[in-house]
Amino acid sequence: MTHRTLTFYGLQVPDRHAVRAVFDADTITVYQAYSPAIALPALDAQRFVPPFKRDRMTWVKPSFLWMMYRSGWATKEGQERVLAVRLRRDGFDAAVAEACLSHYVPDLHESREAWSRALRTSPVRVQWDPERDLHLRPLEHRSLQLGLSGAAVHRYVDEWTVGIRDVTPLVHEIHALVEARALEEAAALLPPERPYQ
């Protein structure tokens, strides 16, 4: 199978690594799953507040189904609430522009040492994981995870986030339809993700 390539933060990557997301002219939606202790104050404040910890790396995912895989349809301990976080696109793009891949790839990096230096200095990590279907089985194309640390976490909280919505009821509704084998109905409720431009 032949794949086209695209440029992603200056690297040529196969189009099966394209970011797929819900976005408009100004914002992009990413997902995170937290315990109610973190999610409820964030929903009230419409930004992340304590007990959210800014000194830890936080991972955001543009893919709804990858978030379902990671959180077990919002059933895993500490991931019972799934939040849809709307970010300013210029913030998301700035994070991606300073990102470093979370693993060494010989064809993409000058050397292991150069990659290791970039990893130590970049506040943003990029990881590509298999996208998931409604049964959470892996697909051929990859889904982006963006890990934010240090200054990037502060900008995420203070500058880039424009709104937070609790999508846990939608998660439960889609999961119930999948369990009932009503896949067309479940698919119709999925957020309308498309390749991010």
Side-chain angles (χ1 to χ4, degrees):
M1 184 175 196
T2 303
H3 292 280
R4 294 171 297 147
T5 61
L6 57 97
T7 300
F8 185 75
Y9 66 99
L11 300 175
Q12 291 294 313
V13 296
D15 68 351
R16 64 180 177 269
H17 287 70
V19 177
R20 292 163 181 84
V22 173
F23 62 95
D24 58 28
D26 301 312
T27 65
I28 179 171
T29 298
V30 297
Y31 300 95
Q32 294 194 279
Y34 286 110
S35 67
I38 293 175
L40 296 177
L43 287 162
D44 286 343
Q46 285 298 290
R47 67 187 195 80
F48 289 99
V49 295
F52 176 87
K53 296 187 186 316
R54 292 181 183 225
D55 59 351
R56 296 179 57 186
M57 181 167 281
T58 189
W59 290 88
V60 301
K61 302 148 186 78
S63 166
F64 181 85
L65 283 175
W66 205 94
M67 187 72 259
M68 297 310 97
Y69 168 71
R70 180 69 181 86
S71 69
W73 294 102
T75 63
K76 292 183 180 177
E77 185 177 355
Q79 300 185 60
E80 301 91 348
R81 299 303 276 273
V82 177
L83 305 179
V85 184
R86 285 179 59 236
L87 304 181
R88 288 174 32 197
R89 281 183 62 173
D90 58 354
F92 179 83
D93 293 346
V96 169
E98 61 181 324
C100 178
L101 283 173
S102 62
H103 62 283
Y104 172 65
V105 179
D107 291 343
L108 298 180
H109 298 106
E110 176 185 320
S111 67
R112 185 175 290 277
E113 292 73 26
W115 164 77
S116 184
R117 278 194 305 275
L119 194 67
R120 285 194 304 274
T121 59
S122 173
V124 183
R125 304 278 185 276
V126 163
Q127 189 166 306
W128 295 100
D129 296 291
E131 181 59 282
R132 301 286 161 164
D133 66 11
L134 279 166
H135 294 291
L136 307 185
R137 297 173 301 209
L139 299 173
E140 181 184 343
H141 62 275
R142 297 275 167 161
S143 179
L144 175 80
Q145 282 195 82
L146 204 59
L148 308 174
S149 66
V153 175
H154 293 286
R155 296 186 72 195
Y156 173 63
V157 172
D158 298 327
E159 301 173 30
W160 301 340
T161 298
V162 297
I164 303 176
R165 188 165 51 94
D166 187 352
V167 293
T168 311
L170 175 65
V171 168
H172 292 160
E173 183 178 4
I174 294 173
H175 187 212
L177 289 168
V178 172
E179 293 284 288
R181 299 183 180 168
L183 298 185
E184 286 187 17
E185 292 92 333
L189 294 177
L190 291 173
E193 294 169 7
R194 56 198 168 97
Y196 181 67
Q197 304 300 314

